[in-house]
């Protein structure tokens, strides 16, 4: 947990981290849940939405099961399951799958490029319908999709929340028109390093559009912490970006009554 | 009372106004390839620097590494004259310009500024390599006046099993060769720490969008914090991410202070 000078503590929740070994590991990279928790403590991150590498890089079904098993002892870790379209029967039927994800205050990560499917209704419409019905956030890395596919998905599923991961500092000319058109589109911040990006998006589209993430253990978490803590945004907006938005999306925290 | 560590300051979002913070790798102005909120004006950059407490940023405007180096150098010096303590100019060299033009420009800014603080090379944008004859006047000046050269990459032909950078660094021991974007990926980190180990006048700049986990700690362990400089790439990139990486690194605060300012103060004679 980080402190906001003169205000309420900022409670960070990381939407973008992994456990499990992976192909491109370097000596400092960690794989175990306990190491992730130690890094979160070092950085002042309270909670995390975690994906297991087995699910993204080996078997979604077995990786999701492994994830549930290893994070079960930790109340501050939430599951980010990897999803597939239903037709091949590799994971539970969409409605059942989505209900289980929601019951665990989880989210879903999709990897259409790596997993050889399309983010379109002819391929994944039933899955996307189910995720939309259960208000489950869908995380997708930019390398796994395209702006056109994101636009098409949100056009057909207006209630679906998509969090785009692993972008860059060069995306404003593409993502701003999508922000303007689709109110449920969100952006994870660790790779969004354009000057004043946090402030400019907040001013134009609201702080609800930004979600804190680190990219751990491949990417350093100090960068995105700094983006939030040294922002000129007021404390309540920092708190939303740091974790409030994600907690509400996962059903961990209630939307404040207006 | 125990001193607040730099990591604790990151956790609390406390500016580093009482520290020496110098960004060795800045640009300035807009860029064709993407939208920059604030348009990269000197004022917008200084406001961004003030979020953290960066005292000084050494800048090579985007137009200098792009289509008009002469105009870029003019903009850099103009910004410096307006904000003398906050923005320092690199004189950018486009090796494709006529030699006489480059020599005249170096002489002009030497006279105007009472000496040039550093040169910026961007051979990739200028479609050349660092052995281009057009860089000659800058190598000569840098050697004579013992000033650093920051280069986007130090490319050029290898000979006798030695890289261009190694040969240049050995041939110009009075010049600090600053390699930009040295901490962006593990491949780069491994390659450049090896170069720096061979050459005491090779230094590694951190600017860039990549924040490979554990990479900065590895760089410090391999070559020491006194050979690494904080760069942000502002306003290509916001100054906060690289700074956060530095503050959160598992290295001593003494090492962080070298990287965030003391090394640049020494090399640029500030």
């Amino acid at each position: 947990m980080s402190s906001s000078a003169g205000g309420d503590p900022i409670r960070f929740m990381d939407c973008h981290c992994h456990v499990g070994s992976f192909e491109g590991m370097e000596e400092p990279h960690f794989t175990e849940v306990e190491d992730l928790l130690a890094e979160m403590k070092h950085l002042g991150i309270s909670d995390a939405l975690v994906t297991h590498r087995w699910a993204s890089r080996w078997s979604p079904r077995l990786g999701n099961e492994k994830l549930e098993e290893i994070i079960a002892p930790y109340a501050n870790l939430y599951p980010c399951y990897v999803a597939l379209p239903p037709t091949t029967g590799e994971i539970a039927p969409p409605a059942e799958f989505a209900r289980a994800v929601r019951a665990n205050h989880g989210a879903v990560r999709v990897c259409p490029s790596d997993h050889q499917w399309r983010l379109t209704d002819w391929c994944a419409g039933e899955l996307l319908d189910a995720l939309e019905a259960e208000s489950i956030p869908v995380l997708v890395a930019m390398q796994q999709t395209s702006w056109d596919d994101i636009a098409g998905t949100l056009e057909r599923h207006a209630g679906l929340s998509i969090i785009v991961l692993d972008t860059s500092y060069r995306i404003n000319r593409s993502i701003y028109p999508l922000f303007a058109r689709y109110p449920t589109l969100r952006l994870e911040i660790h790779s969004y390093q354009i000057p004043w990006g946090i402030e400019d998006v907040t001013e134009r589209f609201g702080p609800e559009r930004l979600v804190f993430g680190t990219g751990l253990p491949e990417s350093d978490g100090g960068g995105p912490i700094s983006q939030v803590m040294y922002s000129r945004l007021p404390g309540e907006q920092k708190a939303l970006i740091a974790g409030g938005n994600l907690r509400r999306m996962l059903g961990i925290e209630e939307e404040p009554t207006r | 009372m125990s001193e607040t560590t730099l990591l604790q300051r990151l956790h609390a979002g406390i500016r580093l106004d009482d520290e020496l913070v110098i960004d060795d790798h800045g640009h300035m102005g807009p860029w064709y390839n993407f939208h920059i909120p604030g348009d990269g004006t000197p004022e917008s950059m200084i406001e961004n620097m003030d979020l953290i407490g960066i005292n000084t940023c050494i800048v090579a405007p985007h137009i200098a590494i792009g289509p008009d180096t002469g105009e870029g150098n003019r903009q850099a010096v103009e910004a410096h004259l307006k904000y003398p303590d906050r923005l320092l100019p690199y004189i950018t060299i486009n090796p494709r310009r006529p030699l006489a033009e480059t020599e005249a420009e170096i002489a002009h800014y030497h006279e105007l500024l009472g000496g040039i603080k550093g040169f910026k090379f961007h051979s990739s944008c200028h479609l050349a390599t660092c052995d281009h004859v057009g860089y000659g006047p800058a190598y000569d000046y840098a050697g004579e006046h013992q000033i650093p050269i920051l280069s986007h990459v130090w490319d050029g032909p290898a000979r006798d099993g030695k890289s261009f950078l190694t040969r240049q660094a050995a041939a110009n021991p009075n010049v600090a060769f600053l390699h930009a974007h040295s901490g962006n990926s593990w491949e780069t980190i491994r390659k450049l720490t090896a170069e720096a180990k061979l050459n005491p006048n090779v230094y590694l700049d951190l600017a860039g969008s990549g924040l490979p986990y554990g990479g900065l700690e590895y760089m410090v362990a391999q070559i020491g914090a006194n050979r690494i400089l904080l760069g942000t790439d502002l306003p290509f990139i916001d100054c906060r991410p690289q700074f956060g990486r530095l503050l959160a690194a598992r290295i001593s605060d003494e090492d962080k202070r070298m990287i965030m300012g003391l090394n640049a103060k020494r090399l640029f004679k500030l």
Side-chain angles (χ1 to χ4, degrees):
Chain A
M1 187 179 296
S2 292
S3 57
S4 176
D8 293 332
I10 302 289
R11 293 173 55 233
F12 280 96
M13 181 170 189
D14 186 356
C15 81
H16 184 20
C17 57
H18 284 85
V19 291
S21 59
F22 56 102
E23 299 89 334
M25 284 187 63
E26 299 287 347
E27 192 270 333
H29 289 154
F30 56 80
T31 60
E32 304 300 318
V33 170
E34 291 73 19
D35 297 323
L36 173 64
L37 290 164
E39 186 63 21
M40 289 165 57
K41 185 176 179 185
H42 175 72
L43 293 167
I45 297 171
S46 309
D47 317 297
L49 184 62
V50 189
T51 302
H52 200 292
R53 294 277 184 195
W54 281 11
S56 56
R57 299 293 299 168
W58 177 49
S59 161
R61 179 175 65 82
L62 297 173
N64 290 340
E65 289 174 8
K66 183 73 172 174
L67 176 71
E68 281 191 347
E69 174 194 326
I70 62 176
I71 68 171
Y74 306 103
N76 62 336
L77 299 182
Y78 295 83
C80 190
Y81 299 97
V82 172
L84 293 171
T87 328
T88 53
E90 294 170 89
I91 60 172
E96 179 187 332
F97 175 75
R99 279 195 300 274
V101 174
R102 190 64 182 175
N104 290 333
H105 298 293
V108 154
R109 180 185 288 252
V110 295
C111 313
S113 178
D114 281 355
H115 296 171
Q116 300 291 321
W117 57 275
R118 300 296 306 275
L119 200 58
T120 55
D121 269 12
W122 62 259
C123 186
E126 194 183 344
L127 172 69
L128 298 171
D129 283 342
L131 298 173
E132 185 180 4
E134 293 289 343
S135 302
I136 293 168
V138 175
L139 288 75
V140 61
M142 207 53 228
Q143 297 75 15
Q144 298 293 326
T145 186
S146 67
W147 295 119
D148 282 341
D149 276 356
I150 289 170
T153 300
L154 291 171
E155 192 68 41
R156 295 185 298 273
H157 301 272
L160 191 68
S161 289
I162 292 183
I163 304 175
V164 186
L165 314 171
D166 295 339
T167 58
S168 85
Y169 54 96
R170 302 180 186 235
I171 64 170
N172 282 359
R173 290 172 186 158
S174 293
I175 200 166
Y176 277 17
L178 293 179
F179 272 147
R181 195 174 177 97
Y182 303 111
T184 57
L185 177 64
R186 269 93 172 183
L187 174 63
E188 179 265 322
I189 66 166
H190 95 278
S191 52
Y192 182 63
Q193 300 179 357
I194 190 71
W196 301 114
I198 307 273
E199 288 81 3
D200 200 54
V201 169
T202 297
E203 187 176 321
R204 292 173 190 249
F205 306 105
E208 295 79 10
R209 300 307 192 92
L210 298 170
V211 180
F212 174 80
T214 62
L216 283 169
E218 288 176 278
S219 191
D220 191 282
I225 294 278
S226 174
Q227 285 176 276
V228 175
M229 292 311 298
Y230 288 107
S231 166
R232 68 180 177 191
L233 296 174
E236 61 272 22
Q237 294 187 341
K238 287 184 189 176
L240 286 175
I241 296 166
N245 291 333
L246 182 60
R247 290 188 183 93
R248 289 175 190 176
M249 294 169 77
L250 298 176
I252 301 169
E253 282 180 4
E254 296 290 322
E255 289 272 358
T257 50
R258 296 176 190 272
Chain B
M1 191 171 72
S2 64
E3 188 185 349
T4 308
T5 67
L6 294 172
L7 176 62
Q8 287 169 335
R9 293 200 192 189
L10 171 66
H11 286 160
I14 297 171
R15 285 164 36 135
L16 278 71
D17 292 334
D18 56 341
E19 301 283 351
L20 177 67
V21 186
I22 300 169
D23 178 354
D24 84 309
H25 189 145
H27 296 284
M28 204 171 78
W31 188 238
Y32 71 95
N33 187 240
F34 54 94
H35 165 236
I36 299 175
D39 231 13
T41 62
E43 291 74 21
S44 174
M45 289 177 64
I46 290 168
E47 203 179 337
N48 201 267
M49 292 155 60
D50 285 344
L51 291 173
I52 291 171
I54 295 177
N55 306 107
T56 303
C57 182
I58 311 173
V59 303
H62 291 136
I63 192 171
I65 63 169
D68 193 334
T69 300
E71 170 61 16
N73 287 332
R74 189 198 66 73
Q75 289 181 12
V77 170
E78 181 182 66
H80 166 63
L81 295 175
K82 190 172 180 184
Y83 302 105
D85 298 329
R86 308 304 307 278
L87 302 174
L88 290 181
Y90 279 112
I91 298 304
T92 302
I93 304 296
N94 180 343
R96 292 170 168 272
R97 296 168 81 193
L99 270 178
E101 205 172 289
T102 298
E103 287 166 349
E105 192 172 45
I106 289 172
H108 169 67
Y109 287 122
H110 173 79
E111 182 74 20
L112 180 68
L113 299 168
I116 291 168
K117 287 293 184 188
F119 289 114
K120 167 75 177 185
F121 293 0
H122 203 307
S123 56
S124 309
C125 279
H126 289 144
L127 305 172
T129 52
C130 290
D131 66 328
H132 196 292
V133 66
Y135 285 124
Y139 285 126
D140 291 344
Y141 183 99
E144 182 183 345
H145 296 274
Q146 303 186 19
I147 64 164
I149 305 174
L150 173 68
S151 186
H152 181 77
V153 290
W154 279 108
D155 53 352
R159 286 200 193 109
D160 303 324
K162 292 180 179 172
S163 71
F164 174 77
L165 174 58
T166 285
R167 291 186 293 109
Q168 276 296 81
N172 299 275
N174 290 336
V175 177
F177 288 78
L178 276 52
H179 199 301
H181 313 300
S182 299
N184 252 357
S185 71
W186 275 100
E187 184 184 356
T188 309
I189 288 169
R190 265 193 288 271
K191 178 181 167 192
L192 295 177
T193 50
E195 289 273 8
K197 273 184 175 177
L198 289 174
N199 305 287
N201 53 331
V202 168
Y203 294 81
L204 304 185
D205 153 76
L206 292 177
S209 60
L211 306 168
Y213 179 80
L216 177 54
E217 289 86 341
Y218 177 89
M219 292 165 75
V220 171
Q222 291 294 310
I223 61 166
N226 63 335
R227 305 278 296 284
I228 302 167
L229 290 91
L230 171 73
T232 68
D233 233 353
L234 182 72
F236 242 86
I237 295 174
D238 196 282
C239 66
R240 287 168 282 187
Q242 280 298 346
F243 207 77
R245 173 201 203 182
L246 175 60
L247 295 185
R250 286 180 164 91
I251 58 176
S252 70
D253 279 1
E254 186 183 349
D255 283 348
K256 291 176 187 176
R257 289 187 172 101
M258 279 195 257
I259 295 168
M260 75 166 74
L262 294 173
N263 295 337
K265 180 183 180 189
R266 183 178 76 248
L267 290 176
F268 288 91
K269 301 171 192 157
L270 303 177

